[in-house]
């Protein structure tokens, strides 16, 4: 009986502490009375828990109540604030050909950013992990912080990821999921990059039923249904394997199931430019060097060959949107990734092709505003959500020192 009572008391203290840390993460400076109004706790409980959080390194006292200009007589109210030195979070976009990291404080304010290109196939798993570790160290140095300040690092990778951060067997997926948890400092969570893109978009524009299509060289979807991220037991939700059948990709040599819009624009341009009978400015570029940006720029200038490629991409997007809307009742489809800033002509074409006789509202087709940083920004958002959900899992730097 004594053990049960002690355990219950400890659990209650943890619940109350978590509630006050969450409140502190949202407020700049607060009094016990303000915390009482939000948490429903008594004054004695709030003061006791705040004292404990000061000792633990989460909070610090912000000075007396007169500092705000008040003239009330009597003992000034004790004021608290989140301790800035409690720690930071790190987001890492560990793509196939690039690494991007952001260091942010516990309110999400970005303190340092670094990016570098990487040849994952040349450096292998160990090289990816080592490069990530060094890039994070440099970003922390830029922010005036060290590895010991990191409470949580969230890593986004182009591979399916289950709830435990593991990917299914496969040479490419094994390379992308490079054992970051064992090589990076502190607590590490690994997540699918498209899922993180969806988390970034959800925080930016809340929508209970939304698909974020992360597209560039590769293609994947982060799916939010009824306000929850869909993952699947092996992390396979959103892998878009249905495209192989939907587009007959097995029989079209320049159209692969995993190809993103950037890869498709480049492949279609290079493979058909010589058979195209009309004029196109893309022929003026060195053979084999036409890329997606060239195609989109030519289309903006009215090049008919490039416009045809845009139309094909729009038709592909419209089919994907219809499938997602039909299966999951998706209301909003967001195109994300570096190509998102140039994707509007594709969206315009796709909107015209959406069927209007289904009896159901058409999904909204929009471009992300985050550009190439959507994954790493989603990683930061995910890290902050983890901390807010279970603050007791994390130790502020003062407690670890």
């Amino acid at each position: 009986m004594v053990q049960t009572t002690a355990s219950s008391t400890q659990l209650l203290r943890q619940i109350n502490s978590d509630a006050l840390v969450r409140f502190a993460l949202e407020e700049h400076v607060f009094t016990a009375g303000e915390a009482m109004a939000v948490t429903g706790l008594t004054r004695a409980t709030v003061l006791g828990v705040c004292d404990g959080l000061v000792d633990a390194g989460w909070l610090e006292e912000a000075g007396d109540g007169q500092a705000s200009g008040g003239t009330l007589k009597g003992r000034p109210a004790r004021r608290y604030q989140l301790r800035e030195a409690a720690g930071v979070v790190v987001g890492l976009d560990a793509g196939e050909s690039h690494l991007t990291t952001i260091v942010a404080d516990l309110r999400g304010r970005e303190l340092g950013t670094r990016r570098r290109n990487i040849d994952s196939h040349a450096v292998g798993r160990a090289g990816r992990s080592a490069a990530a570790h060094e890039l994070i160290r440099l970003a922390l140095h830029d922010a005036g912080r060290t590895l010991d300040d990191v409470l949580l690092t969230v890593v986004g990778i182009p591979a399916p990821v289950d709830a435990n951060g593991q990917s299914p067997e496969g040479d490419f997926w094994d390379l992308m999921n490079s054992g970051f948890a064992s090589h990076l400092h502190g607590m590490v969570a690994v997540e699918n990059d498209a899922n993180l893109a969806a988390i970034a978009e959800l925080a930016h524009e809340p929508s209970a039923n939304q698909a974020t299509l992360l597209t560039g060289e590769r293609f994947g979807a982060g799916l939010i249904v009824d306000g929850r991220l869909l993952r699947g037991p092996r992390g396979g939700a959103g892998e878009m394997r249905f495209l192989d059948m939907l587009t007959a990709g097995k029989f079209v040599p320049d159209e692969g199931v995993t190809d993103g819009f950037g890869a498709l624009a480049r492949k279609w341009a290079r493979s058909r430019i010589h058979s195209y009978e009309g004029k196109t400015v893309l022929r003026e570029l060195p053979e084999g060097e036409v890329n997606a940006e060239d195609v989109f720029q030519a289309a903006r200038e009215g090049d008919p060959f490039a416009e045809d490629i845009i139309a094909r991409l729009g038709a592909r997007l419209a089919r994907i949107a219809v499938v997602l809307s039909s299966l999951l009742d998706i209301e909003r489809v967001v195109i994300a990734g570096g190509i998102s800033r140039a994707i509007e002509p594709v969206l315009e074409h796709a909107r015209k092709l959406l069927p209007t006789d289904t009896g159901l509202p058409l999904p909204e087709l929009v471009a992300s505003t985050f550009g190439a940083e959507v994954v790493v920004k989603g990683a930061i958002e995910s890290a902050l959500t983890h901390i807010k959900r279970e603050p007791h899992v994390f130790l502020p730097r003062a407690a670890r020192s």
Side-chain angles (χ1 to χ4, degrees):
M1 183 67 68
V2 174
Q3 183 177 2
T4 301
T5 302
S7 297
S8 300
T9 301
Q10 184 178 12
L11 178 60
L12 182 60
R13 185 180 299 115
Q14 174 186 302
I15 292 172
N16 292 339
S17 294
D18 282 359
L20 280 168
V21 171
R22 291 188 196 102
F23 180 65
L25 288 167
E26 299 296 333
E27 297 292 323
H28 287 286
V29 178
F30 64 92
T31 63
E34 291 167 337
M36 289 167 56
V38 172
T39 63
L41 301 175
T42 66
R43 177 175 294 275
T45 298
V46 168
L47 290 174
V49 172
C50 283
D51 285 342
L53 291 173
V54 169
D55 293 338
W58 276 114
L59 301 182
E60 60 186 6
E61 290 202 45
D64 61 48
Q66 302 301 325
S68 61
T71 58
L72 294 177
K73 295 181 179 181
R75 184 178 180 181
R78 297 172 65 183
R79 301 162 70 242
Y80 301 92
Q81 63 187 8
L82 185 71
R83 189 166 178 264
E84 291 297 324
V88 296
V89 294
V90 173
L92 175 68
D93 177 7
E96 180 181 2
S97 60
H98 71 272
L99 299 174
T100 304
T101 191
I102 290 177
V103 175
D105 66 16
L106 298 183
R107 301 186 191 279
R109 184 170 61 97
E110 295 181 12
L111 307 176
T113 302
R114 285 270 182 161
R115 178 185 172 91
R116 61 162 289 184
N117 294 330
I118 186 172
D119 185 343
S120 295
H121 299 276
V123 302
R125 284 168 53 88
R128 276 171 59 79
S129 294
H133 184 279
E134 178 62 11
L135 196 70
I136 290 171
R137 188 191 67 78
L138 291 172
L140 286 165
H141 181 268
D142 295 342
R145 303 298 180 95
T146 71
L147 292 169
D148 288 332
D149 288 304
V150 180
L151 297 185
L152 176 63
T153 299
V154 174
V155 183
I157 62 171
V161 178
D162 66 18
N164 298 314
Q166 302 299 311
S167 297
E169 292 184 5
D171 291 342
F172 180 77
W173 291 341
D174 185 61
L175 175 61
M176 294 299 101
N177 201 344
S178 305
F180 294 104
S182 301
H183 293 86
L184 299 183
H185 195 79
M187 298 184 66
V188 178
V190 179
E191 180 59 275
N192 172 261
D193 55 0
N195 285 350
L196 291 179
I199 290 170
E201 294 299 332
L202 185 65
H204 177 66
E205 186 73 32
S207 177
N209 298 280
Q210 175 175 287
T212 299
L213 306 182
L214 184 61
T215 181
E217 283 303 296
R218 292 183 174 272
F219 195 49
L223 305 173
I224 305 291
V225 177
D226 295 334
R228 298 174 65 89
L229 179 70
L230 290 188
R231 182 186 302 281
R234 295 172 296 277
E239 280 301 300
M240 312 297 281
R241 287 187 294 269
F242 69 85
L243 288 177
D244 205 24
M245 297 300 296
L246 186 65
T247 63
K250 292 180 179 178
F251 310 105
V252 181
D254 61 351
E255 184 171 313
V257 62
T258 63
D259 288 336
F261 288 160
L264 288 175
R266 182 185 69 251
K267 286 184 177 182
W268 290 345
R270 292 183 182 182
S271 67
R272 303 186 182 191
I273 194 168
H274 294 296
S275 62
Y276 181 68
E277 296 181 354
K279 293 183 178 180
T280 173
V281 296
L282 296 178
R283 284 204 187 98
E284 300 173 6
L285 300 175
E287 187 173 354
E289 295 185 14
V290 176
N291 57 37
E293 290 75 14
D294 298 324
V295 175
F296 280 90
Q297 179 61 36
R300 285 192 292 270
E301 296 172 355
D303 185 277
F305 176 65
E307 288 179 337
D308 178 65
I309 293 174
I310 295 299
R312 290 186 64 194
L313 291 175
R316 185 180 181 91
L317 175 57
R319 291 194 294 269
I320 293 169
V322 169
V323 170
L324 292 174
S325 178
S326 300
L327 290 177
L328 302 174
D329 203 12
I330 292 295
E331 301 168 315
R332 192 166 185 262
V333 177
V334 184
I335 305 300
I339 203 172
S340 63
R341 301 191 188 282
I343 203 69
E344 186 57 36
V346 176
L347 296 177
E348 290 179 3
H349 190 82
R351 293 183 189 116
K352 297 174 183 177
L353 296 178
L354 291 178
T356 58
D357 57 353
T358 64
L360 295 173
L362 298 175
E364 181 184 14
L365 304 181
V366 299
S368 171
T369 59
F370 291 122
E373 290 194 335
V374 66
V375 173
V376 71
K377 288 183 179 293
I380 291 294
E381 187 67 35
S382 178
L384 295 173
T385 298
H386 273 76
I387 291 175
K388 290 176 184 177
R389 184 184 301 128
E390 296 182 303
H392 63 273
V393 172
F394 303 91
L395 287 176
R397 173 157 187 175
R400 286 179 278 126
S401 301

